[in-house]
Amino acid sequence: GKATLGRRVTGWAHSRGISFYNDKVFAATRDGRLIAIDAKTGKAVWTAQTFDPAKPLYITGAPKAFKGKVIIGNGGTENGPTRGYVTAYDAETGKQAWRFYVVPGNPADGFENEAMEMAAKTWTGEWWKHGGGGNVWHGITYDPELDQLYIGTGNGSPWNRKIRSPQGGDNLFLCSIVALNPDNGKYLWHYQTTPGESWDYNSNMDIVLADLNIKGKDVKALMHAPKNGFFYVIDRKTGKLISADPFVETTWASHVDMNTGRPVEIAGARYEEKPADVTPSFYGAHSWHAMSYNPNTGLVYLPALHLGVTYSDSGIDLKAWRSVDFVGGFGLNIVGSSNPKAYPASLIAWDPVARKVAWAVPQSTFWNGGTLTTGGDLVFQGRSDGMLMAYDAKTGKELWSFDAGLGISAPPITYSINGRQYISILVGFGGGFAGLGGASAAALGWAYGVHTRRVITFSLEGKASLPPQPAKSFPKPIVDKDFKVVDSLVAKGGMLFGYCGACHSGGGMAPDLVASQVPLSAEAFAAVVQKGGRVDKGMPSFPNLTDQDLLAIRHFIRQVANNSVLEKKAAGR
């Protein structure tokens, strides 16, 4: 209906890229369409709807095109009871070629293939009623040497295994690297990084292929640094684990047993009896921001995150809990966070053969961009504070910096035209932390409607001057002295605001509502939220919300605004 369609159009600014193949550009949209565009004319050649629009799925990842096919997955693990899959389409016609499901469905319906029958043995209870998860929203790599396709799979739906698979089990193929035949999508092999995961430790991070010499033997290797904090080197011919070592603090597992390939979990990490403080957090030790490998130095350069989180499922009825479409949930509570280091992030140079950090650069801001390493032994990285940096790839010494005037999430790219090398980067802050980071994200100063997202290109001969961005901007909370906050309405409004907060929490994704005039007026707020008064600016309508719902949300916003002012006064600002 209208309500679900309204929700579908949030997040249009989230996209991790496009794909070019033969004479076409391939792009995927938030609402699940895969579109082939003629590269010369810009006209659509074909469009495929990759999932049922009535389902709470979305696409933020880039399609991958190769060997006559285009591959796309989707996200939505936290938005409802979802069952992840990837689909291959014919690059010329858009006709579906094959589909591989990540987790098994209801056994009563029969299994799509032997891989699903095998996976079902690792699930318990009535898991299919919860969907299972495993959504592939990133981490798809084609290997032309071995003619294999590798997909990195997502976490469980819900996060808490006690709910989705109550008698335990590894829950294949969650949090795995799965190798498929690219022609027909048939299963070849898998390696699971986090069996039976319960922490949102998905393996959707990028998959890098390289030839490594390990103990005197040449290995066709696959390298992967997922959320769980371990760096994996895998023989991509067979899926055999070669090494797995923590590259950040890992308090959920002490190490990976090389005989079994399984992590050795630390007692209590699954919040069995009491809350568990685990590192990494749900943001991961490494998220979707690209890592890069330099065969000259033999090092991998990856943006690492240092944050812990406290999980608890106290107060949750594990037998009755259900995720509902477009409402979703985790099946647990996030009750705190911790900082294992004095800094929140770092750029790490990892030696995959020596299995250790070669050098690291501590960083004072969270959620920094992906890396690019070059044949001239440089490493480029953009940061969330707006700085674009260049380092010596061998030592980590800072060689150059440029203030782009706005936070950076994307990795740089390099290319050559007529013998001249260029570096280009998309400048614009976004992603999960921008939407959910709250005060920490807002402290970066990237405010909605103030700063301009743009592409910046550099060359050694470049002489142009860049038009400056506005200064950092910090929205000022509005206090309405005539508005009397009611605690019971604040509590209800806080629950309803959970969905709104993905954009409106102050990280620059959308207007910070504590500083907006709109919620001060019941009529103006209804005109925007219920009636779609700003659909043209990307704000969908929510006609399913009642007047009482809107009142509760307004009470919550005013309470947050009042507290923000008090906090600033207490801090002397």
Side-chain angles (χ1 to χ4, degrees):
K2 291 181 179 179
T4 55
L5 288 175
R7 292 186 182 203
R8 296 226 52 74
V9 299
T10 59
W12 284 99
H14 290 261
S15 174
R16 295 186 181 87
I18 58 179
S19 188
F20 178 81
Y21 179 74
N22 287 345
D23 56 353
K24 296 181 183 65
V25 174
F26 298 94
T29 63
R30 181 83 176 184
D31 60 356
R33 289 170 292 149
L34 178 63
I35 304 171
I37 301 166
D38 186 299
K40 291 182 178 178
T41 67
K43 293 182 179 179
V45 179
W46 56 257
T47 299
Q49 181 64 46
T50 68
F51 58 72
D52 181 348
K55 292 295 183 182
L57 301 172
Y58 56 83
I59 295 177
T60 55
K64 296 295 178 73
F66 56 88
K67 206 182 179 189
K69 304 280 195 307
V70 191
I71 313 293
I72 192 69
N74 53 63
T77 311
E78 291 75 39
N79 289 4
T82 65
R83 182 189 181 201
Y85 58 81
V86 291
T87 312
Y89 296 87
D90 184 286
E92 291 301 315
T93 67
K95 183 180 179 181
Q96 181 172 321
W98 53 260
R99 174 169 287 176
F100 180 84
Y101 284 94
V102 174
V103 301
N106 186 347
D109 298 333
F111 297 111
E112 290 84 2
N113 49 50
E114 291 179 1
M116 288 297 95
E117 186 174 4
M118 173 181 74
K121 296 174 183 176
T122 68
W123 291 77
T124 59
E126 296 178 315
W127 73 84
W128 57 91
K129 292 184 177 180
H130 298 283
N135 299 65
V136 181
W137 48 264
H138 191 59
I140 301 174
T141 297
Y142 174 62
D143 181 351
E145 287 187 79
L146 303 182
D147 192 26
Q148 294 184 154
L149 176 69
Y150 311 109
I151 62 171
T153 69
N155 56 294
S157 175
W159 295 4
N160 193 342
R161 186 183 64 171
K162 299 175 204 171
I163 295 173
R164 67 175 190 265
S165 188
Q167 285 80 52
D170 287 354
N171 294 183
L172 292 172
F173 294 101
L174 297 182
C175 304
S176 301
I177 302 290
V178 182
L180 303 174
N181 180 321
D183 298 325
N184 54 28
K186 288 189 176 180
Y187 165 89
L188 298 175
W189 58 256
H190 77 277
Y191 175 78
Q192 189 173 39
T193 57
T194 312
E197 81 89 26
S198 274
W199 308 274
D200 189 25
Y201 285 164
N202 62 60
S203 276
N204 296 121
M205 288 64 251
D206 48 351
I207 297 165
V208 176
L209 312 182
D211 294 336
L212 301 180
N213 188 278
I214 298 174
K215 296 181 179 178
K217 291 184 177 181
D218 292 330
V219 176
K220 296 291 181 188
L222 174 158
M223 296 182 288
H224 181 56
K227 276 189 179 182
N228 74 9
F230 287 87
F231 190 98
Y232 296 87
V233 179
I234 296 169
D235 184 326
R236 65 183 198 262
K237 286 185 177 180
T238 63
K240 185 177 187 298
L241 180 66
I242 295 172
S243 64
D245 302 277
F247 61 93
V248 300
E249 311 72 29
T250 55
T251 65
W252 70 279
S254 59
H255 64 286
V256 173
D257 186 321
M258 291 306 298
N259 291 321
T260 63
R262 300 174 65 87
V264 179
E265 295 180 15
I266 292 172
R270 291 182 176 270
Y271 40 96
E272 296 96 328
E273 306 295 335
K274 60 181 181 180
D277 185 9
V278 295
T279 304
S281 75
F282 54 86
Y283 284 115
H286 170 222
S287 192
W288 52 266
H289 308 91
M291 68 182 190
S292 56
Y293 171 70
N294 189 321
N296 296 336
T297 64
L299 301 178
V300 174
Y301 306 96
L302 66 104
L305 301 172
H306 308 279
L307 183 68
V309 67
T310 305
Y311 290 134
S312 171
D313 57 18
S314 176
I316 294 176
D317 187 335
L318 301 178
K319 292 183 179 179
W321 191 94
R322 288 289 184 275
S323 180
V324 178
D325 280 354
F326 294 100
V327 176
F330 308 147
L332 52 77
N333 299 309
I334 300 168
V335 296
S337 61
S338 59
N339 299 94
K341 283 192 176 294
Y343 45 88
S346 61
L347 172 62
I348 289 177
W350 180 267
D351 188 327
V353 176
R355 302 169 58 176
K356 63 181 182 180
V357 174
W359 54 260
V361 178
Q363 296 169 327
S364 60
T365 57
F366 198 70
W367 206 248
N368 299 304
T371 68
L372 163 74
T373 183
T374 68
D377 289 343
L378 299 175
V379 178
F380 291 88
Q381 184 192 25
R383 301 192 313 215
S384 58
D385 63 1
M387 298 301 296
L388 176 60
M389 312 295 295
Y391 302 94
D392 184 311
K394 295 175 183 172
T395 66
K397 180 182 178 182
E398 182 182 321
L399 301 176
W400 174 82
S401 65
F402 180 85
D403 188 349
L406 177 60
I408 300 170
S409 293
I413 64 168
T414 186
Y415 53 94
S416 178
I417 300 176
N418 296 328
R420 176 179 291 181
Q421 185 181 7
Y422 298 88
I423 300 282
S424 284
I425 190 164
L426 280 165
V427 176
F429 193 50
F433 179 66
L436 303 172
S440 297
L444 292 167
W446 314 129
Y448 176 80
V450 175
H451 303 94
T452 303
R453 299 177 182 186
R454 51 194 180 183
V455 180
I456 301 177
T457 299
F458 301 85
S459 75
L460 290 175
E461 298 82 10
K463 295 178 181 177
S465 58
L466 189 68
Q469 292 269 25
K472 292 185 177 185
S473 178
F474 303 93
K476 296 178 181 178
I478 298 172
V479 175
D480 184 353
K481 294 181 180 178
D482 296 326
F483 194 107
K484 304 302 178 187
V485 172
V486 177
D487 289 344
S488 60
L489 287 172
V490 169
K492 178 183 178 183
M495 294 178 66
L496 292 167
F497 192 81
Y499 190 84
C500 315
C503 294
H504 292 285
S505 67
M509 304 284 286
D512 188 339
L513 295 186
V514 301
S516 170
Q517 295 283 345
V518 174
L520 297 178
S521 163
E523 293 77 15
F525 198 54
V528 171
V529 180
Q530 282 179 331
K531 299 172 184 175
R534 294 193 178 172
V535 168
D536 61 326
K537 296 187 180 297
M539 170 63 193
S541 62
F542 293 85
N544 57 318
L545 291 175
T546 67
D547 291 344
Q548 194 65 17
D549 291 337
L550 296 192
L551 179 63
I553 293 171
R554 292 176 62 227
H555 275 261
F556 175 75
I557 292 169
R558 296 276 62 82
Q559 176 81 316
V560 174
N562 294 344
N563 289 342
S564 298
V565 172
L566 290 172
E567 288 169 3
K568 287 184 177 181
K569 284 183 178 179
R573 289 181 284 158

